[in-house]
Amino acid sequence: MLFKQQALLRQKLFVLGSLAIGSVLYLVARVGTLDRLQPICPIDSRLSTPEPEQIPLRTLQFKRGLLHELRKGNATKEQIRLHNLVQQLPQAIIIGVRKGGTRALLEMLNLHPAVVKASQEIHFFDNDQNYARGIDWYRGKMPFSFPHQITIEKSPAYFITDEVPERIFKMNSSIKLLIIVREPTTRAVSDYTQVLEGKERKNKTYHKFEKLAIDTNTCEVNTKYKAVRTSIYTKHLERWLKYFPVEQFHIVDGDRLITDPLPELQLVERFLHLPSRISQYNLYFNATRGFYCLRFNIVFNKCLAGSKGRIHPEVDPSVVTKLQRFFHPFNQKFYQITGRTFNWP
């Protein structure tokens, strides 16, 4: 009797054990299936909707090759239509300042996949003959781009030309305006150096900087000399502020762009409402050239033209001091208006 009860108990335990093992195996198989078949709409994604990217940057990564072909004139009309490419009026303009680093700034901003640059200075707004050709002519000078990209051009003469602020305002009253500045005396000497080099190439003589910058009759700073006048930043900016609020301007430190460009470029990205894409990888210091060069990818690097970074002639220290003292009150007012302070003497 006892033997039969023990046998019956063992049979029940075997059945229960089999059921338990079967259940465990089923659950394991089910979990494996769930791991492989991810839910179409996970709970997390339903609770929090990610912010959409304003600019489809992944789509734009291949822009370099196609847009390069367009610039060379090799792209077909079919390619233009297929990729929905357009020639847009600029949404931002580097308006100055001459010898402040406008070319370097434009080339560095072109590292951003959402930026397309006009390669040449258009001189539409400061040249009466060009301006008379109309806005369609100006648009035709712009590069092809994808609709979500920002087109930028630079013409440093815009900053100092009286008619330009009103003309740009009539085109686009909400446009973003970039001004890159350097220490005013250094900028004036750089301006002189470029003109001097041009004269020497043509075997022409040119006055020394001191004779141009200082009025020989009064021994005071010669404000009629264009290189000096251009460095009085606040005088020119005040004319622009008659048409545009200060919030539409961004001041770039041209001296810092030479020695430490990335922080300045990140400030511009924010001003233009661009996602941060330019990194230290894109900038490398060329010891031979003495300034930073650009790295677009593992195969394409670019340095600025050899004419950049000219060696300045020596200038009489007393003239340098006189100029610095002259510019000082204008600099203080410039800081006050723009909200950006520089360590200028």
Side-chain angles (χ1 to χ4, degrees):
M1 183 69 176
L2 180 62
F3 177 77
K4 287 183 178 180
Q5 288 177 344
Q6 288 176 343
L8 183 61
L9 180 62
R10 282 196 297 271
Q11 188 176 4
K12 288 181 178 179
L13 289 173
F14 176 77
V15 172
L16 290 172
S18 300
L19 289 172
I21 292 170
S23 298
V24 170
L25 291 173
Y26 171 78
L27 289 173
V28 170
R30 180 62 176 163
V31 169
T33 303
L34 290 173
D35 284 342
R36 291 192 299 273
L37 299 175
Q38 294 296 326
I40 294 173
C41 183
I43 295 295
D44 289 345
S45 67
R46 281 181 286 168
L47 291 177
S48 59
T49 304
E51 292 184 10
E53 281 191 22
Q54 291 182 341
I55 300 170
L57 293 177
R58 289 191 188 90
T59 304
L60 302 180
Q61 292 301 329
F62 72 98
K63 81 176 179 101
R64 303 287 178 192
L66 178 59
L67 297 182
H68 180 65
E69 291 302 311
L70 283 165
R71 281 194 292 271
K72 293 194 302 182
N74 294 340
T76 64
K77 290 183 178 180
E78 179 61 22
Q79 283 179 306
I80 295 171
R81 185 195 63 77
L82 182 64
H83 294 288
N84 196 26
L85 296 169
V86 291
Q87 286 176 291
Q88 303 183 81
L89 292 173
Q91 295 94 325
I93 300 179
I94 301 171
I95 59 174
V97 175
R98 172 181 160 91
K99 305 315 299 174
T102 56
R103 172 57 61 182
L105 178 60
L106 183 68
E107 296 294 342
M108 289 178 178
L109 289 177
N110 194 50
L111 288 165
H112 200 292
V115 170
V116 178
K117 68 179 176 71
S119 296
Q120 303 298 320
E121 293 180 7
I122 311 299
H123 289 285
F124 177 63
F125 297 102
D126 65 306
N127 183 299
D128 291 340
Q129 185 177 353
N130 287 343
Y131 190 67
R133 291 169 171 166
I135 203 72
D136 289 334
W137 179 87
Y138 181 52
R139 188 195 301 273
K141 294 294 181 180
M142 293 299 129
F144 282 93
S145 62
F146 298 100
H148 294 292
Q149 286 179 303
I150 290 177
T151 299
I152 300 180
E153 77 123 322
K154 75 103 175 173
S155 293
Y158 289 169
F159 185 59
I160 62 170
T161 306
D162 291 346
E163 299 82 5
V164 171
E166 182 179 6
R167 289 174 174 179
I168 292 181
F169 180 83
K170 287 179 178 178
M171 177 190 74
N172 182 358
S173 61
S174 61
I175 197 165
K176 302 281 188 179
L177 300 166
L178 295 162
I179 305 173
I180 181 166
V181 293
R182 296 189 68 192
E183 191 278 314
T185 302
T186 303
R187 195 221 63 82
V189 175
S190 180
D191 199 330
Y192 166 83
T193 303
Q194 179 171 314
V195 176
L196 175 64
E197 186 181 273
K199 297 283 186 182
E200 289 176 342
R201 278 201 305 267
K202 297 175 183 177
N203 294 318
K204 293 183 178 180
T205 58
Y206 197 48
H207 295 296
K208 291 188 70 174
F209 176 78
E210 292 86 343
K211 190 171 183 180
L212 295 168
I214 304 298
D215 189 317
T216 53
N217 294 321
T218 63
C219 292
E220 297 300 326
V221 172
N222 179 16
T223 55
K224 293 181 180 178
Y225 177 39
K226 188 176 180 180
V228 168
R229 200 165 61 248
T230 299
S231 285
I232 308 175
Y233 304 138
T234 186
K235 289 290 187 183
H236 304 293
L237 183 58
E238 285 172 344
R239 185 175 61 255
W240 284 84
L241 290 171
K242 293 176 183 177
Y243 294 91
F244 300 97
V246 71
E247 293 78 18
Q248 282 178 233
F249 296 87
H250 179 74
I251 309 301
V252 180
D253 185 342
D255 294 308
R256 192 183 184 197
L257 194 75
I258 296 171
T259 59
D260 187 19
L262 184 59
E264 287 299 316
L265 296 173
Q266 290 172 332
L267 289 173
V268 177
E269 283 179 326
R270 286 201 285 274
F271 173 69
L272 297 177
H273 303 297
L274 293 171
S276 181
R277 289 296 182 272
I278 301 174
S279 69
Q280 199 61 57
Y281 168 81
N282 301 117
L283 304 159
Y284 66 96
F285 187 75
N286 186 315
T288 304
R289 305 292 295 277
F291 46 81
Y292 280 84
C293 294
L294 317 179
R295 181 186 290 115
F296 288 86
N297 51 48
I298 59 173
V299 295
F300 180 43
N301 299 341
K302 180 177 182 179
C303 287
L304 297 180
S307 61
K308 303 300 177 184
R310 297 179 181 89
I311 297 174
H312 293 178
E314 287 189 18
V315 178
D316 186 329
S318 66
V319 171
V320 171
T321 301
K322 185 182 284 288
L323 284 167
Q324 290 173 344
R325 288 175 179 168
F326 169 80
F327 287 126
H328 182 76
F330 296 110
N331 295 342
Q332 296 302 311
K333 192 170 184 181
F334 185 71
Y335 304 158
Q336 209 172 26
I337 293 172
T338 63
R340 182 149 198 194
T341 304
F342 301 96
N343 295 320
W344 297 339

